[in-house]
Amino acid sequence: MNFSRKTFLEGLGLGFAASAAAPSAWAEGDQPVFRAGLLTDTHVLHTAASCRIVAKAMEFFRREHADVVCHLGDLADVFSPSGFDAYRQVIDRTFGDRVPLMLYAFGGHDRNGYQLRPGETDRNEAGWKVMRERLKIAHDRYDTVEFRGYVFVIISEYFEEAKAAQMIEDAVLRHPSKPVFVLEHEPAYDTTYDSVAWGNKAIRRICDRYPQVIHLSGHVHGSHRNELNIWQDGFTEINAGCLQSWRGEAANTSRHETSLREEGVLLMDVYENRVVVRRFSLVTGEEHRPFEPWEFPLPFEAKSAPYRAEERQKTSRPPTWPNRAVVRAARVEEPGFRGVRVDFPAAAHNDGTYRYQVVIRDAAGKTVTVKETLGEFWKVPTFAQARQMSVDFDEGYFLPERSYEFSVTPTDFYGNAGEALRTTVRLPWYRAQLRKVYAAADAMKVLTFSTHSWGSHVKPVAVDADGFATVKSAMFRADLPAEALPAADPKGTRYVLDFAFEDRHDSRCSWRVDLEDAKTGRPLPDGDHQLADSPVGEVRYRVRFTKPEDGPLALRIGFSYGDVGGRVRISSLRIDAKNQK
């Protein structure tokens, strides 16, 4: 069955030119046992309008003759009976009396905001009961569904580990020679994209016992064009991305800066001897890499599985620069930005360049800061991908009349780094338009550290003799002194927090920073940031934030998603205010 982009676009009523049909992913006459459409994280609201992208997905699955449609969790943004109704109405309008087998993994957002009624004690079960009724779901929150001789194990988010383990073991014993598809919202820990920070360790422990498991997940809000969304080792993990906004991992940026819209779905064709997964844009109809779908043989053999991380890293060549590529850095002053802009050409890679890392060093060779930007692998249509990239650095990183080296290194999805482009620039004199508010040369003496995990009590953290704090948690915080922000500064005052941070972390993840009101715990406007992957030594970061109201403000730096913690040090800290005009 060939997929025609022209037919797809005409079916959706999109009036622009279409490309030629993509080739078939299988030989003539070789048909799958079944075809599954995969989507996740639609986060619909209370209105039919919020289901527009869902309608495109269902129309696509209908035209592609999907036998099964799997939603992998967080169907709604918050618990919403009207949103569930709107979603089901899309299904009924699209498929009529030929609705495919519809399977749903229950996600945390699907019950967020649900208010327990008298006599109810389990918010997950109570929220699921309404969701099941409104969506006409045939299975339970935990369930095993058989289809054409294959089994789907459906597990709720916040699952009971023993119960989930037993369900998967039973399915494997009943179907010893076939894959077992496990639908569960969170990816298994340390498998696919961003699963070190957002993955589930319990499901990883379970699935590692059963090589034939194919675990289907969502939750992390990645792009369907990300090659890290498939992983194989002890089993197979496939993450479907999202149909919402997603934020790429890019050090020294606000997550809002990297927020992008995602509109891709997956088609999974299951044959007796292999599985083929193809990726499509619902907006343009473009199939991503149509000549190279994700494809792996059955039965699963860990040693020869094609999507093992180590094997992909070994066989992938680093990104390459175009001929005569150069990097340029120059001071820029324009509305909303004063600082240095680094320009460089886009690097080439068969899978798409994943990230560019820009490092600034002073004349003594010391690292000033590190900043990353995503490559445009995620962009559709493909021809819209940029040929030139740029990264901006706030003026506060630099001293006037000093020389700095700028280096840019492209990396692929698997950690292979290409050649670094370098340039050294002497920056001109300038007058900073900032007012110093607070400074601490030895911040570890004035900050108060504490650590906690989800739902646990706050525990104080002492500073060790070497000036580091040892945190044994995925979350910790550093409270500033009460006098750090002047009470006289009015609501709307814009600040920059400048701090030098060193993290001796032994895992492949980085801290997420949120500046918070220490009294309420509420994050401040724009006060979020992503730190560089550790360990990278001491790095300066400048995080912008806005005062939310008049009067005093107790400031806290919250660090989260750092896996199992690390040894951290904030050597210096300064707050500047932008001059009000």
Side-chain angles (χ1 to χ4, degrees):
M1 184 183 302
N2 292 341
F3 173 76
S4 167
R5 181 170 180 254
K6 179 176 185 297
T7 302
F8 175 94
L9 295 173
E10 290 175 348
L12 295 184
L14 301 177
F16 47 86
S19 65
S24 172
W26 53 87
E28 187 73 23
D30 183 15
Q31 295 297 310
V33 177
F34 69 87
R35 168 173 290 177
L38 308 180
L39 75 164
T40 188
D41 292 85
T42 47
H43 288 269
V44 304
L45 302 174
H46 306 298
T47 64
S50 67
C51 290
R52 288 173 181 166
I53 193 71
V54 172
K56 291 183 178 182
M58 295 304 163
E59 178 62 19
F60 172 64
F61 294 145
R62 183 188 69 81
R63 299 181 74 83
E64 285 298 300
H65 304 285
D67 305 294
V68 184
V69 173
C70 303
H71 194 296
L72 302 173
D74 284 357
L75 181 147
D77 195 54
V78 293
F79 174 78
S80 174
S82 61
F84 300 148
D85 287 342
Y87 191 102
R88 182 65 203 195
Q89 289 164 10
V90 166
I91 293 173
D92 292 338
R93 283 198 307 269
T94 304
F95 295 104
D97 58 357
R98 296 185 178 182
V99 177
L101 175 64
M102 308 296 292
L103 303 178
Y104 300 86
F106 186 66
H109 275 264
D110 296 322
R111 56 82 162 134
N112 280 357
Y114 181 83
Q115 300 296 319
L116 288 171
R117 299 173 182 176
E120 294 179 338
T121 58
D122 187 333
R123 191 155 59 107
N124 290 320
E125 191 59 31
W128 166 259
K129 183 178 179 181
V130 176
M131 180 178 173
R132 182 179 185 181
E133 177 184 349
R134 297 300 182 100
L135 285 165
K136 304 177 186 177
I137 300 174
H139 61 80
D140 210 341
R141 189 162 60 96
Y142 291 87
D143 215 336
T144 299
V145 177
E146 296 199 20
F147 182 75
R148 296 185 184 175
Y150 291 78
V151 64
F152 293 87
V153 178
I154 302 161
I155 296 171
S156 171
E157 190 176 358
Y158 311 115
F159 60 85
E160 301 169 33
E161 185 172 351
K163 184 174 185 176
Q166 189 64 58
M167 291 175 66
I168 294 172
E169 180 181 355
D170 291 346
V172 168
L173 292 174
R174 285 202 310 271
H175 300 267
S177 61
K178 292 182 178 179
V180 170
F181 299 94
V182 177
L183 277 63
E184 190 260 320
H185 183 53
E186 297 175 298
Y189 172 78
D190 198 11
T191 57
T192 48
Y193 167 75
D194 212 9
S195 59
V196 170
W198 294 87
N200 189 293
K201 294 183 178 180
I203 199 68
R204 174 69 189 266
R205 287 193 294 269
I206 297 169
C207 293
D208 269 339
R209 306 174 205 163
Y210 307 109
Q212 70 202 75
V213 162
I214 299 177
H215 186 255
L216 306 175
S217 61
H219 188 54
V220 299
H221 284 227
S223 168
H224 72 295
R225 299 165 71 90
N226 189 327
E227 290 299 321
L228 298 178
N229 277 16
I230 186 169
W231 171 96
Q232 291 181 308
D233 195 346
F235 59 99
T236 299
E237 178 85 33
I238 299 172
N239 191 278
C242 67
L243 283 179
Q244 244 286 339
S245 62
W246 70 280
R247 298 183 177 99
E249 294 179 302
N252 207 353
T253 61
S254 163
R255 295 189 308 281
H256 296 288
E257 292 179 43
T258 59
S259 183
L260 305 161
R261 296 298 299 183
E262 173 63 14
E263 35 62 83
V265 294
L266 278 57
L267 281 181
M268 180 177 70
D269 289 312
V270 178
Y271 300 81
E272 292 183 357
N273 64 347
R274 70 190 188 281
V275 173
V276 179
V277 180
R278 297 186 293 156
R279 297 169 281 171
F280 296 89
S281 165
L282 293 173
V283 172
T284 68
E286 180 179 349
E287 179 178 358
H288 182 53
R289 303 185 68 186
F291 296 96
E292 296 180 274
W294 291 336
E295 184 170 3
F296 53 91
L298 298 175
F300 177 84
E301 292 287 344
K303 292 182 179 179
S304 60
Y307 297 99
R308 290 168 294 151
E310 290 182 2
E311 185 63 24
R312 298 183 92 184
Q313 183 179 40
K314 187 190 307 180
T315 58
S316 175
R317 296 181 178 180
T320 57
W321 299 109
N323 291 334
R324 300 179 181 178
V326 295
V327 57
R328 294 183 172 87
R331 178 164 172 78
V332 174
E333 185 170 345
E334 59 189 29
F337 174 69
R338 286 164 53 97
V340 174
R341 179 160 296 155
V342 182
D343 293 296
F344 50 93
H349 190 275
N350 186 48
D351 294 338
T353 299
Y354 183 35
R355 285 189 289 196
Y356 300 88
Q357 185 181 75
V358 184
V359 180
I360 304 174
R361 296 178 178 87
D362 63 18
K366 181 182 177 181
T367 297
V368 176
T369 193
V370 177
K371 193 169 188 177
E372 295 174 335
T373 189
L374 292 174
E376 295 200 330
F377 64 88
W378 50 269
K379 213 168 206 181
V380 289
T382 303
F383 59 75
Q385 295 180 4
R387 296 185 179 182
Q388 193 75 13
M389 309 292 293
S390 66
V391 175
D392 289 344
F393 291 90
D394 183 87
E395 65 184 358
Y397 284 114
F398 310 100
L399 294 174
E401 298 297 329
R402 300 287 180 88
S403 293
Y404 293 89
E405 181 196 72
F406 297 82
S407 67
V408 183
T409 304
T411 61
D412 66 7
F413 288 98
Y414 322 110
N416 296 314
E419 178 187 359
L421 295 179
R422 303 177 189 274
T423 188
T424 298
V425 176
R426 185 174 178 84
L427 298 177
W429 181 89
Y430 65 92
R431 185 186 300 278
Q433 295 183 341
L434 297 171
R435 167 175 56 92
K436 185 175 81 170
V437 170
Y438 178 81
D442 188 350
M444 299 301 284
K445 292 183 177 179
V446 299
L447 295 171
T448 303
F449 290 88
S450 56
T451 183
H452 66 105
S453 298
W454 298 113
S456 69
H457 296 295
V458 175
K459 299 178 181 179
V461 176
V463 178
D464 301 332
D466 62 356
F468 281 78
T470 301
V471 293
K472 299 178 180 179
S473 172
M475 305 172 70
F476 79 97
R477 62 199 192 197
D479 287 77
L480 277 71
E483 69 273 12
L485 289 182
D489 282 352
K491 173 183 177 181
T493 301
R494 291 177 293 168
Y495 301 100
V496 178
L497 171 68
D498 187 315
F499 65 99
F501 183 78
E502 184 173 357
D503 176 16
R504 296 180 180 177
H505 221 140
D506 59 2
S507 59
R508 301 186 318 279
C509 61
S510 58
W511 297 102
R512 190 178 89 181
V513 169
D514 288 283
L515 300 185
E516 302 165 348
D517 182 331
K519 291 185 178 179
T520 66
R522 290 196 300 264
L524 303 179
D526 304 321
D528 69 280
H529 222 64
Q530 183 82 18
L531 305 192
D533 289 347
S534 55
V536 293
E538 184 177 279
V539 175
R540 277 182 63 199
Y541 298 96
R542 290 178 62 81
V543 185
R544 297 180 180 275
F545 66 100
T546 304
K547 193 173 184 182
E549 57 189 28
D550 293 330
L553 173 64
L555 188 62
R556 170 193 299 162
I557 311 173
F559 297 81
S560 57
Y561 298 100
D563 191 22
V564 293
R567 303 199 71 237
V568 301
R569 181 171 70 103
I570 301 175
S571 60
S572 64
L573 182 146
R574 175 185 174 116
I575 299 176
D576 294 309
K578 295 196 70 174
N579 291 332
Q580 303 298 308
K581 294 183 178 180

